[in-house]
Amino acid sequence: MESDEEAGTGDHRAQAIVVGAGPAGSAAALYLARAGVDVLLLEKGTFPRDKVCGDGLTPRGVQQLVRMGVDIDAPGWTRTKGMRWVCGGRQVHIDWPRSGNHPDFGLTRSRHDFDDILARQAVAAGARLCLETKATGPLTDRAGRIVGVSALAGADRRPVNFRAPVVIAADGASARTALAMGLERDPGKPMATAARRYYRSEARTNDPYLELWADLLCSRTGRDLPGYGWIFPLGDGRVNVGLGALPHRGHGAVDLRATMEQWLTRMPAHSELREENADSPLRSAALPMGFNRRPQYRRGLLLVGDSGGMVSPWSGEGIVQAMEAGEVAAETVALALHRPTGLGREQVLHQYVSEVNRRWGRYYRLGNTVADLVFARYGYRPLLNRRVMASPALVHTLARLLTHGTDAPSDDLIDTVVRGLVRMVPAPSRRARGLGARGR
């Protein structure tokens, strides 16, 4: 790390720096800019770009896009009515609920241009976007507080320093900025792996439902896949087909490629999910789950999205949590910058950790337990047994729980039940939230 006192000339300065222009980073930059903060958004690549993802958004994610001002009626967005669960030769359809303040539809769109759209929204709000700018390490003062980042910029990879009193790390699962600041991953929290491939399929591309399979078997062991498979329609002649898995310590790694090949042999010919219709290579990525990196704030650095391990342990969904965390981080930083440097500002910045845990702490704590005791050992099949699949009330309750479909009071009975179940989970202790001496 380079210290602040060793800084050279020609540094770029702002009130806040966001590292990474994925959904979390672009959301943070957008809301900061809307609040009047001079914010730099650093992105190591260029747009458009690819990203391993299911490309599906629940209504909660749609709500975030609307809040960000994205035109979801523009070409390229495909609406979904709900989910179709397949297990044990049975299937059930769950329409997105008409409850709370969420819309009653979901969306799909390829990550190839999804991130570009969000970054453009941030720029339109006033954020300064720097493409082909790879953050290489934090800049710190003598007290070890982050005061910016060093980077390599442009095609010629020239060294540049960016300085600001607050930095938001949104650099994905690699979490390079967090690691450089000493924020290690908790090995006791789940880390899943996902793999996806695109197929050309006119038969499935306009399916109004996100399809999830819960009865897949691992190719190597014949055990139930500790996860699920998905088929998401993109409306452009293609579908996104993928698998997510939570490897169990006693069962070893899952060969996702062979398991997917085995799964697709079960598909009828008219589905067109065959090798000759593949439209991309199979690509995989890690999914850091369940707040597996804490604390989410330390010494001037806030963690959002995958950098903070914010993927849901219930479903593997991460885009929604990334955008929401970006908004929370931006609100926190904007308020903190109105305080003078020192204890008052630090107190405000530490509220980010409290707010993140208020929103997701109990829900993720319960999800981590279920993931460890059920998903990693037996997959999703136990939850989708014959009795559950035959009961609309149980199916809708489970769907609402898996997708975090509600967190606000409503008159909906299922919402009330799910919120009551989550509230029964003990809140994480101060030490577990990372608010002790190490977090200051």
Side-chain angles (χ1 to χ4, degrees):
M1 297 182 193
E2 177 188 348
S3 71
D4 191 34
E5 289 72 24
E6 298 169 339
T9 60
D11 294 358
H12 297 261
R13 296 184 180 274
Q15 290 179 289
I17 292 170
V18 180
V19 180
S26 289
L30 180 147
Y31 287 111
L32 282 168
R34 283 185 183 175
V37 175
D38 178 22
V39 55
L40 280 165
L41 178 59
L42 312 182
E43 168 54 43
K44 66 180 179 180
T46 59
F47 294 117
R49 66 175 187 197
D50 196 18
K51 176 73 187 294
V52 177
C53 183
D55 298 337
L57 286 168
T58 62
R60 187 166 182 145
V62 177
Q63 181 190 35
Q64 282 300 311
L65 292 180
V66 172
R67 287 177 57 81
M68 294 175 70
V70 175
D71 182 4
I72 60 173
D73 293 318
W77 297 100
T78 297
R79 294 196 178 194
T80 60
K81 292 177 59 178
M83 298 179 289
R84 179 189 302 114
W85 287 348
V86 180
C87 186
R90 301 178 296 276
Q91 60 179 249
V92 62
H93 293 80
I94 308 103
D95 288 351
W96 301 122
R98 295 177 179 270
S99 66
N101 57 355
H102 299 156
D104 62 350
F105 62 90
L107 290 170
T108 61
R109 188 176 189 117
S110 169
R111 285 293 292 273
H112 179 70
D113 63 357
F114 179 89
D115 291 7
D116 187 18
I117 291 170
L118 299 192
R120 288 175 184 270
Q121 288 296 112
V123 170
R128 292 189 280 156
L129 174 63
C130 301
L131 296 175
E132 293 187 282
T133 303
K134 182 178 180 179
T136 54
L139 305 176
T140 60
D141 62 16
R142 288 175 176 172
R145 180 186 177 84
I146 192 168
V147 292
V149 295
S150 58
L152 298 175
D156 57 351
R157 297 176 64 81
R158 65 187 183 280
V160 183
N161 289 337
F162 297 90
R163 297 183 178 276
V166 183
V167 176
I168 296 176
D171 44 0
S174 65
R176 291 186 178 90
T177 306
L179 284 170
M181 289 294 291
L183 294 166
E184 302 286 341
R185 182 176 74 87
D186 181 353
K189 297 292 192 303
M191 174 72 85
T193 304
R196 70 100 174 96
R197 195 178 194 188
Y198 293 114
Y199 288 85
R200 298 183 300 276
S201 174
E202 292 297 333
R204 302 296 300 270
T205 190
N206 293 309
D207 189 341
Y209 290 93
L210 303 177
E211 186 165 288
L212 299 105
W213 288 60
D215 62 348
L216 306 185
L217 301 178
C218 297
S219 61
R220 183 173 59 84
T221 64
R223 294 177 178 270
D224 282 308
L225 177 73
Y228 62 86
W230 70 77
I231 305 172
F232 291 175
L234 295 177
D236 61 359
R238 299 179 302 156
V239 293
N240 180 316
V241 181
L243 298 173
L246 263 173
H248 185 264
R249 292 181 295 273
H251 300 165
V254 177
D255 186 337
L256 292 178
R257 179 181 296 276
T259 299
M260 180 180 286
E261 291 174 354
Q262 177 177 283
W263 170 35
L264 293 185
T265 62
R266 298 169 57 182
M267 298 293 175
H270 65 78
S271 69
E272 302 174 286
L273 302 182
R274 295 290 183 266
E275 182 63 32
E276 60 269 22
N277 292 322
D279 197 51
S280 76
L282 181 72
R283 295 187 60 202
S284 61
L287 300 178
M289 293 178 151
F291 291 155
N292 70 358
R293 198 179 306 278
R294 294 175 182 270
Q296 292 89 14
Y297 171 75
R298 180 192 287 178
R299 293 182 295 172
L301 181 69
L302 294 85
L303 309 184
V304 294
D306 288 5
S307 179
M310 293 183 176
V311 174
S312 170
W314 289 95
S315 64
E317 183 180 29
I319 296 178
V320 176
Q321 293 80 357
M323 293 188 292
E324 289 187 10
E327 181 178 8
V328 175
E331 290 176 350
T332 305
V333 170
L335 288 171
L337 291 174
H338 286 290
R339 299 281 189 95
T341 302
L343 181 59
R345 180 176 290 184
E346 280 300 295
Q347 288 175 336
V348 176
L349 290 171
H350 275 288
Q351 286 304 306
Y352 174 65
V353 179
S354 298
E355 179 60 18
V356 163
N357 279 280
R358 184 191 69 80
R359 293 189 178 216
W360 296 298
R362 285 183 168 91
Y363 178 69
Y364 274 24
R365 195 173 187 186
L366 179 60
N368 286 338
T369 300
V370 174
D372 182 55
L373 297 180
V374 181
F375 299 153
R377 288 174 165 83
Y378 315 108
Y380 284 72
R381 191 197 295 261
L383 296 185
L384 295 177
N385 57 57
R386 186 180 300 273
R387 175 174 293 182
V388 171
M389 294 279 275
S391 169
L394 290 177
V395 163
H396 283 85
T397 300
L398 182 58
R400 212 75 59 89
L401 187 59
L402 290 175
T403 62
H404 205 189
T406 180
D407 60 359
S410 75
D411 296 330
D412 185 278
L413 178 59
I414 292 177
D415 283 358
T416 302
V417 170
V418 172
R419 286 198 311 275
L421 177 62
V422 172
R423 281 200 301 267
M424 291 172 61
V425 179
S429 66
R430 183 179 178 87
R431 179 181 296 275
R433 296 199 308 269
L435 295 177
R438 290 182 67 235
R440 294 196 179 99

